[in-house]
């Protein structure tokens, strides 16, 4: 087992803290690390795709789980996989697709581990139909604070606390997953432009049920009548017998594709990080106008479609030296006016918001701290050095809480703890279970200390 001292951040590269990093290569080494974690505790970490501080632990230890990445079994008939928690979803997809199966609830980045997807209860582009990642977990192995290995299944309190529990109930060592049957490596992709936010919401309401995958890029720089205009992209798997002859010859394989045409026109980074002012508005205008008004049936390889967060950042540049803050919230159906006010506030303030994605969420998962609930979720990046950022986002937090919504803890790096209970009604149950399961605080993170989880 390798050990070193490192400075770690989330994917947004904000608020670095230093921890002792352990890289266990066996369950025995993981057990030994947890038992000897010391007064500052420990937290599991995968590829570091959490945007905020959920996988950091200042002055304590961090378990880098990426060496525990073996696949134990794949049942090619049922699509059930047993694998270790450090396995990346990109590698799992590479193994599954030749057998006619695909990763469930696939998030926007392939560089998420199985353990991270459970700990954050990841919600993919198919959440509106298939729920979040935990709904596809049949059981998991959990290393608890006392060094005990426990098999945890859905329908139990420990499962509900662990799914979306951000690693605070223990270290997920392995999981049994149900995967999705697919007949080809192709998706049929429909793209259309929405002229404003109301147009976008209407299109999502009327058509989302016909598509497996759905999301919209929202132009948060547009104002006036164009406020909330968007490019909506939706896709469905294509059976092999419905493909043209050239596509039928393509083997079932997961091959990440190149960046879409036109991305080379966008600079890799802009001054100050992000896309503010006239430059940001121009880039958004170019992106919106470059999208087709209405295009149906475009064939795309699975590997190219599931890549938005894996290539170089485009359409808005890199996050800048100070990093970026990812803000994601959800408000329920019937609370569209709150969504309109928030989008309007961002546009009127001319925030240098980038990578804005709006999705329609379906039924939530069982996790007490799971983010998804039925409604509308919007996520976007802002430069961490933006003047007045904390005050502005505090205002958005209050707006979201007043509408009965919540922010995503796996993306969070600055939420005020006093709003947490109103956003997550089962918070008290989570804290109570944690207190009984881990009275000595073996599992801690920067996020858990900041929010008193």
């Amino acid at each position: 087992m390798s050990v070193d001292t490192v400075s770690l951040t989330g994917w947004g590269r904000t608020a670095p803290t230093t921890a002792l990093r352990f890289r266990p290569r066996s369950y025995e080494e993981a057990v030994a690390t947890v038992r000897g974690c010391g007064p500052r505790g420990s937290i599991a970490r995968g590829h570091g795709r959490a945007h905020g501080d959920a996988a950091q632990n200042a002055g304590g230890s961090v378990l880098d789980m990426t060496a525990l990445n073996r696949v134990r079994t794949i049942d090619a008939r049922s699509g059930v996989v047993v694998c270790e928690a450090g396995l990346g979803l990109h590698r799992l997809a590479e193994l599954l697709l030749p057998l006619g199966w695909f990763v469930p609830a696939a998030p926007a980045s392939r560089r998420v581990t199985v353990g991270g997807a459970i700990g954050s209860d990841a919600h993919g582009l198919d959440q509106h139909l298939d729920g979040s990642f935990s709904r596809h977990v049949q059981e998991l192995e959990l290393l608890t604070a006392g060094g005990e290995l426990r098999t945890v299944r859905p329908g139990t309190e420990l499962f509900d606390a662990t799914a979306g529990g951000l690693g605070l109930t223990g270290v997920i060592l392995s999981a049994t997953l149900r995967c999705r049957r697919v007949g080809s490596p192709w998706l049929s992709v429909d793209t259309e432009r929405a002229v404003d936010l109301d147009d976008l919401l209407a299109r999502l309401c009327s058509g989302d049920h016909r598509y497996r995958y759905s999301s919209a890029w929202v132009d948060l720089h547009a104002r006036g009548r164009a406020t909330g205009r968007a490019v909506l992209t939706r896709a469905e798997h294509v059976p092999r017998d419905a493909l043209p002859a050239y596509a039928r010859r393509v083997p079932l394989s997961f091959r990440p594709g190149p960046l879409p045409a036109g991305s080379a026109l966008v600079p890799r980074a802009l001054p100050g990080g992000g896309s503010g002012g006239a430059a940001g508005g121009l880039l958004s205008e170019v992106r919106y106008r470059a999208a087709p008004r209405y295009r149906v049936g475009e064939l795309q390889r699975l590997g190219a479609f599931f890549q938005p967060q894996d290539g170089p950042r485009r359409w808005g540049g890199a996050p800048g030296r100070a990093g970026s803050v990812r803000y994601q919230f959800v408000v329920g159906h019937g609370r569209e006016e709150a969504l309109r006010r928030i989008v309007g506030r961002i546009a009127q303030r001319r925030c240098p918001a980038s990578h804005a994605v709006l999705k329609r969420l379906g039924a939530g998962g069982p996790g007490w701290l799971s983010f998804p609930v039925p409604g509308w979720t919007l996520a976007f990046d802002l430069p961490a050095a933006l003047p007045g950022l904390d005050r502005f986002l505090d205002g958005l937090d209050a707006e979201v809480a007043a509408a009965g919504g919540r922010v995503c803890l796996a993306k969070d790096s600055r939420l005020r703890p006093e709003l947490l209970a109103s956003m997550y009604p089962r918070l008290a149950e989570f804290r109570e279970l944690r207190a009984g399961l881990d009275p000595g605080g073996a599992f801690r993170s920067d996020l858990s200390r900041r929010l008193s989880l």
Side-chain angles (χ1 to χ4, degrees), residues 192-201 216-232 280-290 343 347 356 358 378:
E192 55 192 292
R193 295 195 322 219
V195 299
D196 59 23
L197 183 60
D198 286 343
D199 184 26
L200 173 62
L201 299 184
W217 167 77
V218 181
D219 179 3
L220 293 179
H221 295 89
R223 294 184 294 163
R225 292 182 179 179
T227 298
R229 68 181 180 180
V231 178
L232 174 59
L282 177 60
L283 291 174
S284 293
E285 182 74 21
V286 169
R287 178 171 186 179
Y288 182 76
R289 298 297 175 189
V343 171
L358 187 139
L378 177 66

Side-chain angles (χ1 to χ4, degrees), residues 115-195:
I118 298 171
S120 62
D121 200 13
H123 49 284
L125 302 182
D126 56 348
Q127 200 282 336
H128 61 292
L129 292 182
D130 299 325
S132 50
F133 198 86
S134 67
R135 287 192 175 273
H136 305 271
V137 177
Q138 290 187 334
E139 67 177 36
L140 58 87
E141 288 183 290
L142 187 71
L143 171 59
T144 61
E148 178 188 3
L149 296 181
R150 297 181 60 172
T151 298
V152 184
R153 296 184 177 88
T156 64
E157 288 190 340
L158 185 52
F159 185 92
D160 294 349
T162 301
L166 303 166
L168 296 174
T169 61
V171 178
I172 299 170
L173 295 175
S174 70
T176 302
L177 310 174
R178 296 185 306 273
C179 299
R180 172 177 305 287
R181 170 72 78 180
V182 294
S184 80
W186 295 96
L187 293 169
S188 176
V189 181
D190 294 353
T191 305
E192 55 192 292
R193 295 195 322 219
V195 299

Side-chain angles (χ1 to χ4, degrees), residues 390-391 393-399 401 407 412-421 423 450-451:
D390 285 343
R391 183 171 63 255
L393 292 182
D394 284 347
L396 297 192
D397 290 341
E399 184 92 50
V407 300
D412 178 58
S413 58
R414 29 75 43 212
L415 178 68
R416 291 175 293 155
E418 58 267 27
L419 290 178
L420 193 60
M423 293 181 173
R450 177 168 56 84
L451 295 179

Side-chain angles (χ1 to χ4, degrees), residues 317-338:
R321 292 181 180 178
S324 65
V325 172
R326 185 74 171 169
Y327 188 82
Q328 182 169 13
F329 69 92
V330 60
V331 293
H333 296 300
R335 300 287 187 165
E336 288 79 8
E337 190 54 42

Side-chain angles (χ1 to χ4, degrees), residues 56-120:
Q56 298 171 224
N57 186 23
S61 61
V62 169
L63 272 71
D64 181 335
M65 299 296 292
T66 55
L68 292 171
N69 60 359
R70 292 171 287 267
V71 175
R72 294 182 188 169
T73 63
I74 298 179
D75 188 325
R77 291 178 298 178
S78 67
V80 173
V81 177
V82 182
C83 61
E84 292 180 334
L87 180 70
L89 297 184
H90 65 293
R91 178 56 181 156
L92 182 56
E94 290 172 354
L95 296 171
L96 285 172
L97 200 52
L99 301 174
W101 299 92
F102 192 60
V103 177
S109 172
R110 296 184 298 263
R111 301 293 296 178
V112 175
T113 61
V114 169
I118 298 171
S120 62

Side-chain angles (χ1 to χ4, degrees), residues 1 4 29 116 172 200 244 254 312 333 351 395 447:
M1 177 168 58
D4 58 355
E29 290 181 348
I172 299 170
L200 173 62
F254 189 74
H333 296 300
C351 289
L447 180 142

